Amino acid sequence: MAQTPLHDVIVERWGADIGAARRPPGSRIVMEQAVLEFGASRSAIREAVRVLESLGMVESRQRVGITVLPPRSWSPYDPRVLRWRLDGPDRVELLRSLSELRGAVEPVAARLAAERATPEQCGALAAAVIGMASTARAANADEYLGHDIDFHSVLLQASDNVMLASLGSIVIAVLEGRTHHALMPSVAEAAALQLHADVAAAVQSGDAAGAERAMRAIVAESTDAMVEMADSSGGA
């Protein structure tokens, strides 16, 4: 197995620390300390800083050094930033925001998919629903998550709209965030499974209004269930 380049290791460590607020906004990263901490060259540290600068997470200035920037400066849709933030203290708030964005995106994608999906995409949606149903008694496990991600990813692609499809990372972040942070029930709700089947059937039959309506219900059910679980666990 190839060894991970050191600058990637540094990016992951610092990105995770910044996203989880272990390195709060305004804090400084000192080059000399970083060299000692990682046993890295200055060039490796600078490469890591360039990556984090491209994500809006740090700023490097002469005579000032490397400064951590506030969340409003971060790339909001980058999968790495989302993953790091979901490990942080504002996890539930972030999931709520992402769910609100889903509500604006996925119902439209479902409507368009009913008009534009290929036969292969219709088949993939049906297969994902079957996969979800077959693993529904372990809905908080990775196998169910994989089928769920397949369903929503195919749906966005089936919209045949590159801008909507490019937001797949948002949907995946919500689904992964629920599963990996204990905000997904162990047994899938029968109503939720039925709604996924309804979307697949509506897309297959070209029922644009039905597909949009069922997808809107999926997003609402998912958000309500997630918030309820978060509240019952004290927002952990």
Side-chain angles (χ1 to χ4, degrees):
M1 182 180 295
Q3 186 174 6
T4 303
L6 184 54
H7 72 266
D8 287 345
V9 173
I10 299 169
V11 168
E12 184 64 32
R13 175 82 62 81
W14 283 349
D17 284 348
I18 294 169
R22 291 187 292 271
R23 288 183 181 270
S27 63
R28 302 288 176 82
I29 297 174
V30 179
M31 175 69 75
E32 289 73 16
Q33 292 178 353
V35 169
L36 292 175
E37 178 183 357
F38 292 100
S41 65
R42 285 177 171 266
S43 62
I45 300 296
R46 282 193 289 268
E47 179 61 29
V49 170
R50 279 194 288 270
V51 173
L52 293 172
E53 280 186 309
S54 73
L55 297 175
M57 300 185 84
V58 302
E59 179 183 53
S60 180
R61 298 172 60 189
Q62 287 187 341
R63 295 188 296 276
V64 175
I66 306 159
T67 305
V68 175
L69 296 177
R72 64 177 178 273
S73 300
W74 305 349
S75 297
Y77 303 144
D78 187 278
R80 291 166 296 182
V81 175
L82 289 171
R83 175 166 53 82
W84 293 330
R85 291 190 68 187
L86 286 170
D87 285 334
D90 64 343
R91 175 185 311 135
V92 174
E93 178 184 350
L94 176 60
L95 283 169
R96 283 194 182 102
S97 295
L98 293 174
S99 294
E100 289 170 357
L101 181 58
R102 280 186 70 190
V105 171
E106 286 200 277
V108 175
R111 173 169 53 81
L112 293 175
E115 299 169 352
R116 302 172 179 175
T118 65
E120 292 77 15
Q121 289 168 332
C122 290
L125 286 174
V129 172
I130 292 171
M132 291 171 68
S134 68
T135 55
R137 295 188 64 81
N140 57 351
D142 284 341
E143 188 174 3
Y144 180 93
L145 172 63
H147 295 305
D148 202 5
I149 287 174
D150 287 345
F151 179 91
H152 293 277
S153 298
V154 170
L155 185 77
L156 288 170
Q157 291 294 331
S159 73
D160 196 27
N161 181 304
V162 67
M163 302 304 290
L164 292 175
S166 69
L167 295 175
S169 62
I170 301 298
V171 178
I172 291 172
V174 175
L175 299 177
E176 289 182 339
R178 286 193 68 190
T179 297
H180 296 159
H181 295 289
L183 295 172
M184 185 72 183
S186 58
V187 177
E189 292 288 341
L193 288 174
Q194 183 59 55
L195 285 169
H196 282 76
D198 291 346
V199 170
V203 170
Q204 172 71 46
S205 65
D207 179 4
E212 180 175 2
R213 183 169 55 251
M215 179 52 67
R216 197 172 301 282
I218 285 174
V219 176
E221 187 280 333
S222 173
T223 302
D224 290 346
M226 179 184 65
V227 171
E228 182 178 347
M229 291 189 71
D231 289 343
S232 67
S233 63

